[in-house]
Amino acid sequence: MADGVFAPGHLGELTQIVPFEMVDEVLAECGTAQQRLRKLPARVGVYLLLAAALFEECGYPAVWSKLTGALGSLPLPKITATGLWHSRCRLGVRPLRALFDLLRGPASAIRTAGTRWAGLLVVAIDGTYLDVADDPDVRARLGKGSNQYTAASGYPQVLLVGLVACGTRAVIDAVFGPRKPGEPVLGRRLLRSLHAGMVVLLDRGFATNAFLQASADTGADFLARISAARKPPVLHRFDDGSFLSRIGTAEVRIIECEITIATSAGRTTGVYRLATTLLDPRRYPAFELVRLYHERWEVESAYFAVKQSMLGRRVLRARTLPGIAQEIYALLTVYQVIRIAIADAASTVPGADPDRASFSVALQTARDQVIQATGVIADTTIDLVGTIGRAVLDNLMPARRLRLSPRAVKRPLSRYAYKSLRVDRRTYKATISIDILLTEPISP
């Protein structure tokens, strides 16, 4: 534990991943280190923001109480809510953004189970929306959503687009901004983090000619679902039913297939068309590529962990645009730190896939460590597991089951809308099977 007024600056056991030296270096580089010693030093302010991401149900004074609850024997100064607010304002956005930049990445080694396919790191790009406070200034900048009943409804929202490692669900890069101009435009900023040795999975929203061409130019390969309405030219047919084509100036391979999903509710068949820069049908069989595309859903699992497990579907606290950016970077940083802790623990068990680790278990254990102020400083012997890792390894989930996510109303406008939906959720918990049938190429 640090001394004096620096003592409340910790993140429990996660401080070993975000140590004091790292935070101090970030503050110095950003020019936000305190010029004089305050009751709330800049370092403590950073850890306060990170701890707030762990306890999203609490206001900042309550978060401060959790940071200091186990430090009763220390002579700590009394801090008011106003003092906490001034500390956040002095810090600004830059230190949190710089901290996230230091920690973002796939959080995996070459031998980490489930992270690579055919020697390529499997990643995905997708977007989601975070609700923010309905403040007039924020609303003027971000706008509000609309539907058939009203021109504006709900909370203003920030569009978050992330590049996620599918095997560990760690965030390699992320950008956010207003809902418009949309995911493909905002997502192009993530191409800076693509490189050779990756295969990026993309849904139809990103499968524009410009985005796919820009992705190919990075040296990374892509596997994207494209609209059935597109008519790519057939340049050469392969024995497995796929064919060589071109999107922009990039050569691609088109795979068309029928996917049949059988549940107790019946059978549903859909036609999928995938485009990829992995051109060799022997090295990259079409059937395996169709199966690989299902890994794109790992990015949705990452967003679920952030929005449901951490935020609890709550609106962000901040009521100003700089405050919103500061809070989002803190949220992403803490999410990433927990994923690093999970990946480190999984790496100690040969063949253990990180996606068997429970994020909720890791999150709750990390919260307990903050409240108890334990594990802040590592022992002389480095332990990759720690208390959080042991809790995760003791509660590993079974091997991943095949998932089906039916479209349903998540936020109905009324109780009637919910009742009229009449979806029996138990139907979708039943065992399901999928048949993937390669078909003859559809004529362009």
Side-chain angles (χ1 to χ4, degrees):
M1 189 66 64
D3 297 326
V5 292
F6 291 96
H10 69 90
L11 204 60
E13 189 177 87
L14 295 180
T15 314
Q16 298 179 32
I17 302 176
V18 194
F20 305 144
E21 297 81 5
M22 178 185 291
V23 175
D24 289 343
E25 182 178 346
V26 163
L27 290 169
E29 289 180 355
C30 295
T32 49
Q34 65 274 354
Q35 300 300 311
R36 59 183 177 84
L37 190 60
R38 300 173 179 269
K39 291 193 296 183
L40 255 175
R43 182 208 293 176
V44 176
V46 171
Y47 283 112
L48 170 71
L49 286 163
L50 298 179
L54 283 173
F55 300 99
E56 282 287 345
E57 72 279 8
C58 300
Y60 285 102
V63 175
W64 178 257
S65 296
K66 293 181 183 297
L67 284 172
T68 59
L71 308 178
S73 60
L74 301 178
L76 299 176
K78 184 177 180 180
I79 304 296
T80 64
T82 302
L84 298 176
W85 178 79
H86 282 299
S87 173
R88 303 196 307 275
C89 291
R90 286 193 301 269
L91 280 174
V93 179
R94 291 180 60 201
L96 276 300
R97 182 173 57 213
L99 196 57
F100 172 67
D101 282 338
L102 280 176
L103 292 164
R104 63 186 175 90
S108 65
I110 292 178
R111 298 185 182 276
T112 302
T115 59
R116 293 178 179 268
W117 181 86
L120 301 171
L121 180 67
V122 182
V123 301
I125 294 178
D126 205 357
T128 192
Y129 295 97
L130 301 175
D131 292 337
V132 298
D134 195 358
D135 184 85
D137 291 338
V138 173
R139 190 187 321 127
R141 179 68 178 87
L142 300 179
K144 298 180 73 173
S146 61
N147 55 40
Q148 67 268 37
Y149 302 109
T150 179
S153 64
Y155 288 98
Q157 292 181 320
V158 169
L159 171 60
L160 171 66
V161 185
L163 172 63
V164 173
C166 295
T168 58
R169 300 178 196 159
V171 180
I172 298 173
D173 203 352
V175 293
F176 53 87
R179 291 173 61 98
K180 295 181 179 179
E183 292 182 357
V185 175
L186 195 60
R188 289 196 64 152
R189 292 164 53 189
L190 298 176
L191 299 182
R192 64 196 176 193
S193 296
L194 293 181
H195 54 76
M198 286 181 171
V199 56
V200 57
L201 311 180
L202 304 167
D203 70 9
R204 286 177 295 183
F206 292 92
T208 64
N209 283 13
F211 196 92
L212 295 181
Q213 180 64 64
S215 298
D217 290 342
T218 66
D221 290 292
F222 65 74
L223 177 62
R225 184 182 178 189
I226 61 175
S227 169
R230 298 178 71 166
K231 304 298 181 182
V234 179
L235 303 181
H236 173 73
R237 298 186 187 276
F238 297 109
D239 293 339
D240 64 357
S242 61
F243 62 89
L244 185 68
S245 187
R246 189 178 299 277
I247 292 180
T249 61
E251 281 194 334
V252 298
R253 182 167 150 230
I254 305 296
I255 302 168
E256 293 167 329
C257 61
E258 286 184 355
I259 298 181
T260 300
I261 302 175
T263 71
S264 59
R267 295 169 64 89
T268 302
T269 299
V271 176
Y272 280 65
R273 178 181 284 183
L274 303 178
T276 181
T277 50
L278 299 170
L279 304 181
D280 188 344
R282 295 181 180 273
R283 186 176 180 185
Y284 310 109
F287 183 81
E288 296 302 324
L289 285 169
V290 174
R291 294 183 60 185
L292 174 65
Y293 186 73
H294 189 68
E295 291 294 310
R296 194 193 67 79
W297 284 96
E298 298 295 350
V299 68
E300 303 290 353
S301 296
Y303 287 145
F304 183 87
V306 172
K307 296 172 66 174
Q308 178 64 41
S309 300
M310 296 181 72
L311 278 172
R313 299 289 180 184
R314 297 179 183 85
V315 178
L316 296 184
R317 301 181 186 86
R319 305 186 68 87
T320 65
L321 291 174
I324 290 170
Q326 187 185 62
E327 187 172 354
I328 291 175
Y329 277 122
L331 195 66
L332 291 173
T333 299
V334 172
Y335 170 83
Q336 180 70 3
V337 168
I338 293 175
R339 285 297 180 196
I340 292 172
I342 289 173
D344 285 348
S347 69
T348 64
V349 179
D353 196 323
D355 70 6
R356 292 183 57 199
S358 169
F359 184 86
S360 296
V361 168
L363 175 64
Q364 188 56 56
T365 309
R367 288 170 172 167
D368 292 342
Q369 296 296 293
V370 170
I371 294 171
Q372 298 165 13
T374 54
V376 174
I377 299 177
D379 296 330
T380 54
T381 302
I382 297 177
D383 182 6
L384 288 177
V385 179
T387 304
I388 297 173
R390 280 188 287 275
V392 167
L393 295 178
D394 288 344
N395 294 276
L396 285 177
M397 296 183 291
R400 172 62 54 81
R401 296 177 300 170
L402 194 61
R403 291 166 296 177
L404 175 64
S405 180
R407 293 192 179 274
V409 177
K410 296 179 181 178
R411 285 189 175 180
L413 297 176
S414 67
R415 291 180 62 84
Y416 172 78
Y418 175 74
K419 292 177 181 178
S420 65
L421 189 62
R422 297 187 183 278
V423 174
D424 184 357
R425 295 179 61 87
R426 291 172 296 180
T427 299
Y428 298 99
K429 293 181 181 178
T431 302
I432 66 176
S433 62
I434 289 184
D435 294 324
I436 301 176
L437 304 174
L438 295 178
T439 64
E440 291 298 322
I442 298 174
S443 299

PDB file of all heavy atoms in Angstrom, residues 212-227:
ATOM      1  N   LEU A 212     -13.718  -2.995 -47.076  1.00  0.00           N
ATOM      2  CA  LEU A 212     -13.016  -4.248 -47.339  1.00  0.00           C
ATOM      3  C   LEU A 212     -11.678  -3.998 -48.033  1.00  0.00           C
ATOM      4  O   LEU A 212     -10.680  -4.639 -47.722  1.00  0.00           O
ATOM      5  CB  LEU A 212     -13.889  -5.169 -48.187  1.00  0.00           C
ATOM      6  CG  LEU A 212     -15.183  -5.667 -47.521  1.00  0.00           C
ATOM      7  CD1 LEU A 212     -15.942  -6.581 -48.464  1.00  0.00           C
ATOM      8  CD2 LEU A 212     -14.887  -6.383 -46.207  1.00  0.00           C
ATOM      9  N   GLN A 213     -11.659  -3.042 -48.968  1.00  0.00           N
ATOM     10  CA  GLN A 213     -10.409  -2.721 -49.643  1.00  0.00           C
ATOM     11  C   GLN A 213      -9.389  -2.165 -48.655  1.00  0.00           C
ATOM     12  O   GLN A 213      -8.213  -2.539 -48.666  1.00  0.00           O
ATOM     13  CB  GLN A 213     -10.664  -1.707 -50.753  1.00  0.00           C
ATOM     14  CG  GLN A 213      -9.417  -1.296 -51.530  1.00  0.00           C
ATOM     15  CD  GLN A 213      -8.816  -2.460 -52.286  1.00  0.00           C
ATOM     16  OE1 GLN A 213      -9.436  -3.002 -53.187  1.00  0.00           O
ATOM     17  NE2 GLN A 213      -7.593  -2.851 -51.925  1.00  0.00           N
ATOM     18  N   ALA A 214      -9.849  -1.262 -47.771  1.00  0.00           N
ATOM     19  CA  ALA A 214      -8.945  -0.687 -46.774  1.00  0.00           C
ATOM     20  C   ALA A 214      -8.441  -1.751 -45.808  1.00  0.00           C
ATOM     21  O   ALA A 214      -7.284  -1.727 -45.384  1.00  0.00           O
ATOM     22  CB  ALA A 214      -9.658   0.437 -46.015  1.00  0.00           C
ATOM     23  N   SER A 215      -9.290  -2.716 -45.457  1.00  0.00           N
ATOM     24  CA  SER A 215      -8.870  -3.810 -44.572  1.00  0.00           C
ATOM     25  C   SER A 215      -7.790  -4.649 -45.240  1.00  0.00           C
ATOM     26  O   SER A 215      -6.779  -5.007 -44.615  1.00  0.00           O
ATOM     27  CB  SER A 215     -10.069  -4.691 -44.213  1.00  0.00           C
ATOM     28  OG  SER A 215     -11.054  -3.961 -43.516  1.00  0.00           O
ATOM     29  N   ALA A 216      -7.986  -4.973 -46.513  1.00  0.00           N
ATOM     30  CA  ALA A 216      -7.002  -5.772 -47.236  1.00  0.00           C
ATOM     31  C   ALA A 216      -5.676  -5.033 -47.360  1.00  0.00           C
ATOM     32  O   ALA A 216      -4.604  -5.652 -47.319  1.00  0.00           O
ATOM     33  CB  ALA A 216      -7.542  -6.132 -48.618  1.00  0.00           C
ATOM     34  N   ASP A 217      -5.720  -3.711 -47.478  1.00  0.00           N
ATOM     35  CA  ASP A 217      -4.496  -2.922 -47.630  1.00  0.00           C
ATOM     36  C   ASP A 217      -3.624  -2.941 -46.378  1.00  0.00           C
ATOM     37  O   ASP A 217      -2.439  -2.618 -46.438  1.00  0.00           O
ATOM     38  CB  ASP A 217      -4.843  -1.472 -47.996  1.00  0.00           C
ATOM     39  CG  ASP A 217      -5.406  -1.352 -49.402  1.00  0.00           C
ATOM     40  OD1 ASP A 217      -5.224  -2.294 -50.197  1.00  0.00           O
ATOM     41  OD2 ASP A 217      -6.041  -0.312 -49.703  1.00  0.00           O
ATOM     42  N   THR A 218      -4.197  -3.299 -45.220  1.00  0.00           N
ATOM     43  CA  THR A 218      -3.408  -3.348 -43.981  1.00  0.00           C
ATOM     44  C   THR A 218      -2.504  -4.572 -43.919  1.00  0.00           C
ATOM     45  O   THR A 218      -1.617  -4.641 -43.066  1.00  0.00           O
ATOM     46  CB  THR A 218      -4.326  -3.366 -42.746  1.00  0.00           C
ATOM     47  OG1 THR A 218      -5.080  -4.594 -42.733  1.00  0.00           O
ATOM     48  CG2 THR A 218      -5.290  -2.182 -42.751  1.00  0.00           C
ATOM     49  N   GLY A 219      -2.737  -5.549 -44.789  1.00  0.00           N
ATOM     50  CA  GLY A 219      -1.990  -6.801 -44.729  1.00  0.00           C
ATOM     51  C   GLY A 219      -2.722  -7.900 -43.985  1.00  0.00           C
ATOM     52  O   GLY A 219      -2.342  -9.070 -44.054  1.00  0.00           O
ATOM     53  N   ALA A 220      -3.785  -7.530 -43.242  1.00  0.00           N
ATOM     54  CA  ALA A 220      -4.599  -8.532 -42.549  1.00  0.00           C
ATOM     55  C   ALA A 220      -5.552  -9.181 -43.546  1.00  0.00           C
ATOM     56  O   ALA A 220      -5.922  -8.590 -44.561  1.00  0.00           O
ATOM     57  CB  ALA A 220      -5.377  -7.884 -41.415  1.00  0.00           C
ATOM     58  N   ASP A 221      -5.967 -10.405 -43.247  1.00  0.00           N
ATOM     59  CA  ASP A 221      -7.011 -11.060 -44.032  1.00  0.00           C
ATOM     60  C   ASP A 221      -8.362 -10.769 -43.408  1.00  0.00           C
ATOM     61  O   ASP A 221      -8.459 -10.445 -42.216  1.00  0.00           O
ATOM     62  CB  ASP A 221      -6.766 -12.571 -44.072  1.00  0.00           C
ATOM     63  CG  ASP A 221      -5.548 -12.934 -44.901  1.00  0.00           C
ATOM     64  OD1 ASP A 221      -5.595 -12.755 -46.128  1.00  0.00           O
ATOM     65  OD2 ASP A 221      -4.540 -13.384 -44.308  1.00  0.00           O
ATOM     66  N   PHE A 222      -9.416 -10.882 -44.208  1.00  0.00           N
ATOM     67  CA  PHE A 222     -10.752 -10.682 -43.656  1.00  0.00           C
ATOM     68  C   PHE A 222     -11.673 -11.813 -44.080  1.00  0.00           C
ATOM     69  O   PHE A 222     -11.452 -12.501 -45.084  1.00  0.00           O
ATOM     70  CB  PHE A 222     -11.340  -9.314 -44.050  1.00  0.00           C
ATOM     71  CG  PHE A 222     -11.599  -9.118 -45.528  1.00  0.00           C
ATOM     72  CD1 PHE A 222     -12.665  -9.745 -46.165  1.00  0.00           C
ATOM     73  CD2 PHE A 222     -10.797  -8.274 -46.275  1.00  0.00           C
ATOM     74  CE1 PHE A 222     -12.919  -9.561 -47.514  1.00  0.00           C
ATOM     75  CE2 PHE A 222     -11.034  -8.072 -47.631  1.00  0.00           C
ATOM     76  CZ  PHE A 222     -12.103  -8.726 -48.258  1.00  0.00           C
ATOM     77  N   LEU A 223     -12.714 -12.014 -43.280  1.00  0.00           N
ATOM     78  CA  LEU A 223     -13.808 -12.934 -43.581  1.00  0.00           C
ATOM     79  C   LEU A 223     -15.081 -12.158 -43.263  1.00  0.00           C
ATOM     80  O   LEU A 223     -15.366 -11.878 -42.097  1.00  0.00           O
ATOM     81  CB  LEU A 223     -13.708 -14.196 -42.733  1.00  0.00           C
ATOM     82  CG  LEU A 223     -14.837 -15.228 -42.894  1.00  0.00           C
ATOM     83  CD1 LEU A 223     -14.896 -15.759 -44.317  1.00  0.00           C
ATOM     84  CD2 LEU A 223     -14.672 -16.383 -41.901  1.00  0.00           C
ATOM     85  N   ALA A 224     -15.806 -11.775 -44.299  1.00  0.00           N
ATOM     86  CA  ALA A 224     -16.938 -10.868 -44.124  1.00  0.00           C
ATOM     87  C   ALA A 224     -18.197 -11.463 -44.734  1.00  0.00           C
ATOM     88  O   ALA A 224     -18.144 -12.107 -45.786  1.00  0.00           O
ATOM     89  CB  ALA A 224     -16.634  -9.518 -44.777  1.00  0.00           C
ATOM     90  N   ARG A 225     -19.304 -11.222 -44.081  1.00  0.00           N
ATOM     91  CA  ARG A 225     -20.592 -11.596 -44.663  1.00  0.00           C
ATOM     92  C   ARG A 225     -21.046 -10.463 -45.575  1.00  0.00           C
ATOM     93  O   ARG A 225     -21.062  -9.291 -45.173  1.00  0.00           O
ATOM     94  CB  ARG A 225     -21.628 -11.855 -43.581  1.00  0.00           C
ATOM     95  CG  ARG A 225     -22.959 -12.353 -44.147  1.00  0.00           C
ATOM     96  CD  ARG A 225     -23.993 -12.563 -43.071  1.00  0.00           C
ATOM     97  NE  ARG A 225     -25.258 -12.979 -43.654  1.00  0.00           N
ATOM     98  CZ  ARG A 225     -26.401 -13.072 -42.976  1.00  0.00           C
ATOM     99  NH1 ARG A 225     -26.420 -12.764 -41.688  1.00  0.00           N
ATOM    100  NH2 ARG A 225     -27.503 -13.465 -43.581  1.00  0.00           N
ATOM    101  N   ILE A 226     -21.402 -10.804 -46.806  1.00  0.00           N
ATOM    102  CA  ILE A 226     -21.861  -9.784 -47.745  1.00  0.00           C
ATOM    103  C   ILE A 226     -23.308 -10.055 -48.114  1.00  0.00           C
ATOM    104  O   ILE A 226     -23.817 -11.174 -47.968  1.00  0.00           O
ATOM    105  CB  ILE A 226     -20.984  -9.726 -49.009  1.00  0.00           C
ATOM    106  CG1 ILE A 226     -21.020 -11.059 -49.764  1.00  0.00           C
ATOM    107  CG2 ILE A 226     -19.551  -9.371 -48.635  1.00  0.00           C
ATOM    108  CD1 ILE A 226     -20.272 -11.026 -51.079  1.00  0.00           C
ATOM    109  N   SER A 227     -23.968  -9.033 -48.600  1.00  0.00           N
ATOM    110  CA  SER A 227     -25.380  -9.127 -48.930  1.00  0.00           C
ATOM    111  C   SER A 227     -25.596 -10.065 -50.109  1.00  0.00           C
ATOM    112  O   SER A 227     -24.794 -10.125 -51.053  1.00  0.00           O
ATOM    113  CB  SER A 227     -25.921  -7.735 -49.273  1.00  0.00           C
ATOM    114  OG  SER A 227     -27.216  -7.818 -49.837  1.00  0.00           O
TER     115      SER A 227
END
